[in-house]
């Protein structure tokens, strides 16, 4: 939103001038899209996990959530696919980061985001009780926090 608020568009950087914004605007846009995509996917995963956790109560009130309409197994597949998409995207980004010398960022993302997501995927397969889904929901919150904290690595970019 900050990117567009300042007047830039997808096809033009007219709202940005180097005099007032001494940084790489294109890199800023790429990072903005990257973080927005990460936030969207991780939130989608968390909401699906919360819906599975609350499915018994939701069914009593005739709610139309994904686990009730599709069933828990299909919702688990949906969630698992998004976890794989998130891990794959993060891995690709970290390969690029490693190649340009941002090895600390790559290690941080691998240890605090990619590995926990892989473990979450493994635990998702075995999950069956509301408390299992609650634990997974808590774990994805830590991944969200790690993603937010990773912004510190971009503070010093030219």
């Amino acid at each position: 939103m900050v990117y567009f608020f300042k007047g830039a568009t997808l096809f033009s950087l007219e709202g940005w001038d180097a005099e007032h914004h001494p940084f790489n605007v294109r890199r800023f846009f790429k990072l903005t899209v990257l973080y927005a995509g990460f936030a969207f996917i991780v939130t989608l995963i968390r909401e699906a996990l919360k819906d599975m956790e609350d499915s018994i109560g939701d069914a009593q009130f005739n709610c139309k959530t994904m686990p009730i309409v599709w069933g828990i197994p299909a919702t688990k597949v949906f969630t698992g696919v998004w976890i794989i998409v998130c891990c794959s995207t993060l891995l690709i980004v970290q390969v690029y980061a490693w190649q340009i010398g941002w090895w600390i960022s790559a290690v941080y993302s691998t240890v605090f985001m990619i590995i926990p997501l892989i473990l979450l995927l493994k635990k998702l397969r075995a999950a069956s009780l509301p408390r299992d889904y609650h634990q997974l929901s808590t774990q994805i919150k830590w991944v969200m926090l790690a993603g937010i904290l990773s912004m510190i690595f971009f503070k010093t970019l030219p």
Side-chain angles (χ1 to χ4, degrees):
M1 295 311 298
V2 171
Y3 182 82
F4 295 114
F5 175 75
K6 291 304 250 175
T9 67
L10 286 175
F11 308 106
S12 168
L13 301 175
E14 292 174 17
W16 295 85
D17 56 27
E19 182 179 323
H20 294 99
H21 306 284
F23 60 88
N24 187 327
V25 176
R26 293 191 191 285
R27 183 177 289 158
F28 177 71
F29 179 73
K30 288 176 186 177
L31 288 173
T32 302
V33 170
L34 180 69
Y35 276 98
F38 174 78
F40 174 79
I41 292 171
V42 174
T43 302
L44 184 69
I45 293 166
R46 182 168 181 278
E47 290 302 318
L49 291 170
K50 291 297 290 178
D51 283 346
M52 286 186 278
E53 177 185 353
D54 299 333
S55 63
I56 295 170
D58 289 345
Q60 291 174 346
F61 290 101
N62 296 321
C63 297
K64 301 292 181 202
T65 61
M66 191 181 305
I68 294 169
V69 175
W70 291 6
I72 295 286
T75 305
K76 287 170 92 171
V77 170
F78 174 86
T79 306
V81 167
W82 280 110
I83 292 170
I84 292 168
V85 167
C86 190
C87 282
S88 301
T89 305
L90 285 170
L91 192 60
I92 291 167
V93 170
Q94 296 323 307
V95 167
Y96 283 109
W98 190 275
Q99 289 175 347
I100 62 173
W102 294 353
W103 61 273
I104 295 174
S105 169
V107 170
Y108 173 88
S109 294
T110 302
V111 170
F112 294 108
M113 291 189 286
I114 296 171
I115 291 173
L117 282 170
I118 292 169
L119 294 173
L120 190 137
L121 182 63
K122 184 178 177 182
K123 290 177 184 176
L124 178 63
R125 282 190 62 170
S128 61
L129 301 172
R131 72 170 181 257
D132 298 332
Y133 298 116
H134 179 74
Q135 290 172 346
L136 295 174
S137 176
T138 301
Q139 187 175 346
I140 199 75
K141 285 181 192 176
W142 286 107
V143 173
M144 288 175 165
L145 179 62
I148 292 167
L149 294 176
S150 73
M151 289 182 188
I152 194 73
F153 295 109
F154 300 108
K155 183 181 184 307
T156 58
L157 289 179

